[in-house]
Amino acid sequence: MNTQGMTKTFVIEGYASLFGVEDLAGDVVRAGAFARTLARGGEVRMLLSHVGGRTVGRWTAMREDGRGLFVRGLVTGETAAGQTALKLIGDGTMSGLSIGFIARDWSPRVMRGRELREIELREVSLVTSPMLPGARFAAAGSDWEARGRTSRA
């Protein structure tokens, strides 16, 4: 296949949050925490390291399952941040996901952190060191391999 002139794109997928797992700040997300955000629809941005304006692509699927918040998206080289992300993914130095959110319903945990029962999800970032070490993605293919596979899940 001739890829000349095509913008390089990777399909990525993984878990942006895991239910019942404590992150490095002591926060624990409960199942159902994202339900209202997901039901509302609308765009949840894909950023590089939580920096506003550093869009690296777009999320094509986002859903809660028994494990956590599963996401699938396209990382593109259409922006400088996207090109940086593609390089870091290609080098194997970036595979983390991190959620940017507003806690709507939460309570303090005994030792530290919060129990998060409802979250307004604002963005999901690609990061090198996620606050939740198990929040990771893997490259699932390139743009021409993914054509027709992207849908809202």
Side-chain angles (χ1 to χ4, degrees):
M1 168 179 279
N2 181 5
T3 60
Q4 188 174 16
M6 292 180 71
T7 300
K8 189 173 184 180
T9 302
F10 277 133
V11 177
I12 62 167
E13 59 185 28
Y15 282 87
S17 182
L18 300 171
F19 297 141
V21 179
E22 183 178 314
D23 71 13
L24 298 175
D27 287 348
V28 175
V29 176
R30 294 295 171 207
F34 301 99
R36 193 171 287 189
T37 293
L38 296 175
R40 180 185 75 229
E43 182 184 11
V44 174
R45 296 174 297 157
M46 179 191 287
L47 300 178
L48 181 61
S49 300
H50 299 291
V51 178
R54 295 199 68 194
T55 302
V56 298
R58 65 183 173 85
W59 296 112
T60 59
M62 195 171 285
R63 69 177 179 272
E64 286 188 325
D65 63 19
R67 185 172 180 210
L69 180 66
F70 175 83
V71 295
R72 179 182 305 121
L74 300 172
V75 181
T76 70
E78 295 172 2
T79 64
Q83 292 168 14
T84 299
L86 288 169
K87 180 184 182 320
L88 293 170
I89 293 167
D91 291 348
T93 57
M94 184 167 60
S95 65
L97 293 169
S98 183
I99 57 174
F101 64 93
I102 298 171
R104 295 294 185 198
D105 182 17
W106 62 277
S107 58
R109 296 182 65 225
V110 174
M111 296 300 287
R112 67 185 184 122
R114 302 168 291 179
E115 180 174 315
L116 300 165
R117 292 182 296 273
E118 184 181 335
I119 289 173
E120 180 182 325
L121 188 62
R122 305 305 296 266
E123 52 93 4
V124 177
S125 281
L126 308 187
V127 298
T128 54
S129 300
M131 185 65 78
L132 180 63
R136 298 286 175 178
F137 69 85
S142 58
D143 58 348
W144 57 89
E145 293 167 350
R147 292 188 199 267
R149 281 199 335 168
T150 60
S151 64
R152 297 304 266 179

